[in-house]
Amino acid sequence: MSAGDINNDGLIDLFFTGNMVQNKLYLNKGNLKFEDITETAAVSGDSRWYTGVTMADINADGLLDIYCSDGGKFGPKENQLFINKGNNGDGNLDIVVMANLYSSEVETPRNDASNGLLLKGNGARGFKATRALESGLYAPGDVKDMAKIIVNGKEHLLLSKNSDYLQLIKVNKSK
């Protein structure tokens, strides 16, 4: 379990990892009331045996990101990072999800963020998956970390990959 303020509203939110159940993210609404935003935030995880979690501002943008560790014997063996992208200027929280590209058995379908995914907030505590053509987000390979950087006055994501080159992606601000 990890506690932190994921939306910078001054209230401590809670994230629980699962191993035989999905991860859960609860947004603190105040007065000991919490809202389960796991599905809309797309942080439920997959078949990994999650053993721990921490919230930290991985990319130094002022927003807490969620890093889940995996210690299972079966299934994917890679840790998973959920980057909190804040908002895209429309006042709604957006999230970029990157997961490892991993091999699986033929009978087991892939269940990760694959080549990356931008989830745009809709203002009603929901998120809509954005197509790669619209978001510009396409990151095949084994992504291990990412950081938001400014290049020539424009936002970019810098991705580091296992056994691969760094990748720079321009962030599209389209709505």
Side-chain angles (χ1 to χ4, degrees), residues 92-136:
N92 299 322
L93 177 70
D94 299 320
I95 299 174
V96 172
V97 180
M98 292 287 189
N100 296 308
L101 178 66
Y102 58 87
S103 301
S104 62
E105 303 83 19
V106 174
E107 65 275 5
T108 305
R110 292 183 53 111
N111 192 16
D112 67 355
S114 185
N115 295 314
L117 180 64
L118 171 62
L119 301 167
K120 285 189 176 181
N122 65 12
R125 301 228 180 265
F127 293 86
K128 179 182 179 204
T130 306
R131 295 177 359 160
L133 288 174
E134 181 183 347
S135 70

Side-chain angles (χ1 to χ4, degrees), residues 48 70-79 100 102:
R48 295 166 218 252
D70 173 45
K73 183 175 179 181
F74 304 105
K77 302 282 190 291
E78 297 87 7
N79 297 338
N100 296 308
Y102 58 87

